């Protein structure tokens, strides 16, 4: 069994910080679960263009308000506590935070540790050039 405390994990290399967000990776590939699990904070005013070409992701909003725009269709969905979105088609999207947002995120395949976004909004697959 794996038991981890978010506040403790935040003090370790499980915390990854980047422009507009930080994320604590509570489960990584090395944990052998087949997915990774992150608690991500999006900073107020952030506008993030992501496209996880190599990963499927679902995100559940725990706190804060913002929106997600489907970059292909232009459709905008409000995000508030209780809302989940799943990028089942590796959907290119824009995440906008009106307030600080706390999100629980699951990635399949799991991230390995220190990934941050490449210029195209994706994370590298393990072994792929960064
Ligand atoms: C909300 C969102 O897109 N989260 C992505 C995961 C987070 N940026 C991370 O842990 O890399």
């Amino acid at each position: 069994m794996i038991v981890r405390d978010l506040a403790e994990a935040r003090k370790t290399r499980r915390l990854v910080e980047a422009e507009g967000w930080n994320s604590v990776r509570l489960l990584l590939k090395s944990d052998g679960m087949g997915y990774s699990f992150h608690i991500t904070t999006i900073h107020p005013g952030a506008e993030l263009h992501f496209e996880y070409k190599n990963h499927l992701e679902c995100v559940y909003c725990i706190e804060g308000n913002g929106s997600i725009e489907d970059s292909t269709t232009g459709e905008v969905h409000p995000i508030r506590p209780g809302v989940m979105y799943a990028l089942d088609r590796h959907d290119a999207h824009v995440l906008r935070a009106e307030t600080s947002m706390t999100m629980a995120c699951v990635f399949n395949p799991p991230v390995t540790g220190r990934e941050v976004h490449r210029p195209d909004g994706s994370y590298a697959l393990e072994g792929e050039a960064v």
Side-chain angles (χ1 to χ4, degrees):
M1 186 184 298
I2 301 166
V3 179
R4 294 198 173 112
D5 179 271
L6 177 63
E8 291 302 317
R10 204 175 271 290
K11 298 175 197 161
T12 72
R13 279 176 57 79
R14 288 182 180 281
L15 173 66
V16 175
E17 301 203 60
E19 180 86 36
W21 58 270
N22 69 56
S23 189
V24 181
R25 277 106 186 237
L26 284 172
L27 288 172
L28 288 167
K29 181 176 185 201
S30 55
D31 292 308
M33 296 290 288
Y35 52 82
S36 56
F37 179 67
H38 319 190
I39 299 294
T40 299
T41 303
I42 313 286
H43 303 315
E47 178 177 304
L48 304 170
H49 295 247
F50 293 154
E51 183 180 1
Y52 296 113
K53 295 175 181 168
N54 299 317
H55 298 83
L56 297 169
E57 184 201 21
C58 75
V59 176
Y60 175 79
C61 179
I62 298 169
E63 61 183 13
N65 285 282
S67 64
I68 183 170
E69 177 179 341
D70 182 323
S71 301
T72 306
T73 65
E75 199 173 354
V76 177
H77 307 271
I79 303 293
R80 58 181 181 275
V83 174
M84 184 277 309
Y85 63 85
L87 304 168
D88 61 326
R89 298 182 181 187
H90 304 276
D91 315 68
H93 60 286
V94 185
L95 191 57
R96 295 186 176 89
E98 290 159 24
T99 66
S100 178
M101 300 173 81
T102 306
M103 321 279 252
C105 315
V106 174
F107 275 76
N108 170 25
V111 306
T112 59
R114 305 296 300 170
E115 288 93 338
V116 291
H117 298 90
R118 299 187 288 189
D120 68 355
S122 70
Y123 287 157
L125 268 184
E126 195 175 12
E128 194 184 17
V130 175

